[in-house]
Amino acid sequence: MATGAEAEDKPYPEILKTIEQQGIRILGEMQVPGGLRAFAAKAGAQPLAIYLTPDNQHLLVGTLVDAYGQDMAEDQLKKMVEQPLSEASWTKLEAATWVRDGNPNAPRVIYTFTDPNRPYCNRFWLAARPWIESGKAQLRHVMVGVIRQDSPAKAAAILQSKSPKDALMENERKHADGGIAPRASVDDHMTRQLERNAALMTELGFGGTPPIVFKGADGTVDTFPGLPSDAQMEVLLGPK
């Protein structure tokens, strides 16, 4: 196994520079056994462990395990990539364009990317009602318009209403019947806000709605990539 000093002395091979040009960011070298060099990286918000073969001509992206199934790079990858990413992600979410659902003083804050037309977003909204109505949690809906042609106009109708909270509730309660009426047009300012929200969703590594970001009991940021199961709801929102 290479020591930290030895790893620092070795120059990065050209193949790493090539993949950086494709949008992969190399954050540093990790120490692993087995004769491979390992690098912590990220693609957008997605952490990656990249392994370089001895000929310096080929890369492997994945998980290196020992005979007991233990990931040889897991702890290093978390330290180098996941925690800084999570803290930055939370800050970006706070600055995004979102609608609060629930008591602003609720102890648990959950961000979810919401498309007004997405059935799974509606199912999450319905499933969260016991926690929201009891004041135990608040949802912050980062509005996007991505799955249907009128999704941006519906998102704009919610965000630009006199009470976005009430408009969101109207959309979710009427979801089975088509939801809120879309705006006749979406101005440039609102279009940019929705595009920034969609870009943030992609940056954080999510490909569809409703991705969910929350802080666990220990204060670390965690995610669900989509609709949580019934068992996962209590992990996310706490006891009913």
Side-chain angles (χ1 to χ4, degrees):
M1 182 185 297
T3 66
E6 289 170 341
E8 289 176 2
D9 289 341
K10 295 180 180 178
Y12 285 5
E14 287 298 321
I15 192 170
L16 289 182
K17 298 176 183 178
T18 300
I19 67 166
E20 282 193 309
Q21 294 173 0
Q22 299 171 7
I24 305 295
R25 184 181 175 192
I26 306 299
L27 299 180
E29 187 161 359
M30 302 183 290
Q31 301 175 37
V32 297
L36 299 176
R37 291 180 70 184
F39 299 87
K42 63 179 181 178
Q46 181 66 40
L48 300 175
I50 296 178
Y51 298 95
L52 177 68
T53 57
D55 63 5
N56 285 352
Q57 300 299 312
H58 301 87
L59 298 173
L60 300 170
V61 179
T63 304
L64 179 69
V65 299
D66 63 12
Y68 303 98
Q70 181 179 351
D71 187 335
M72 295 289 92
E74 181 179 14
D75 292 341
Q76 295 177 77
L77 188 61
K78 285 183 178 179
K79 182 178 180 181
M80 296 176 72
V81 181
E82 291 184 359
Q83 187 60 31
L85 174 66
S86 296
E87 292 171 357
S89 299
W90 193 262
T91 299
K92 290 179 180 181
L93 286 164
E94 290 178 323
T97 302
W98 44 265
V99 179
R100 180 183 286 110
D101 176 18
N103 187 335
N105 297 317
R108 288 193 180 231
V109 175
I110 296 94
Y111 288 94
T112 178
F113 287 88
T114 299
D115 186 301
N117 283 317
R118 180 68 167 166
Y120 286 112
C121 294
N122 179 247
R123 285 173 60 182
F124 178 56
W125 183 87
L126 290 169
R129 290 304 92 202
W131 289 271
I132 302 304
E133 292 171 2
S134 67
K136 294 180 178 179
Q138 56 171 294
L139 299 182
R140 295 180 177 179
H141 294 264
V142 183
M143 302 303 301
V144 295
V146 293
I147 72 166
R148 293 185 187 170
Q149 187 173 358
D150 67 349
S151 288
K154 285 187 176 182
I158 293 169
L159 290 169
Q160 294 184 309
S161 68
K162 291 182 179 179
S163 173
K165 176 184 68 175
D166 291 342
L168 175 69
M169 184 173 293
E170 177 187 351
N171 182 73
E172 302 309 323
R173 286 178 171 171
K174 296 180 178 178
H175 199 274
D177 298 319
I180 197 169
R183 287 182 66 91
S185 62
V186 182
D187 62 37
D188 291 343
H189 176 70
M190 179 55 57
T191 296
R192 287 192 295 271
Q193 285 185 312
L194 294 174
E195 288 175 347
R196 282 194 294 268
N197 283 357
L200 178 58
M201 184 173 71
T202 300
E203 178 185 337
L204 297 184
F206 301 120
T209 52
I212 296 160
V213 184
F214 68 103
K215 286 190 175 181
D218 61 356
T220 60
V221 179
D222 205 348
T223 65
F224 284 112
L227 180 68
S229 67
D230 291 342
Q232 289 170 331
M233 288 295 289
E234 291 204 8
V235 174
L236 173 62
L237 296 164
K240 286 187 179 180

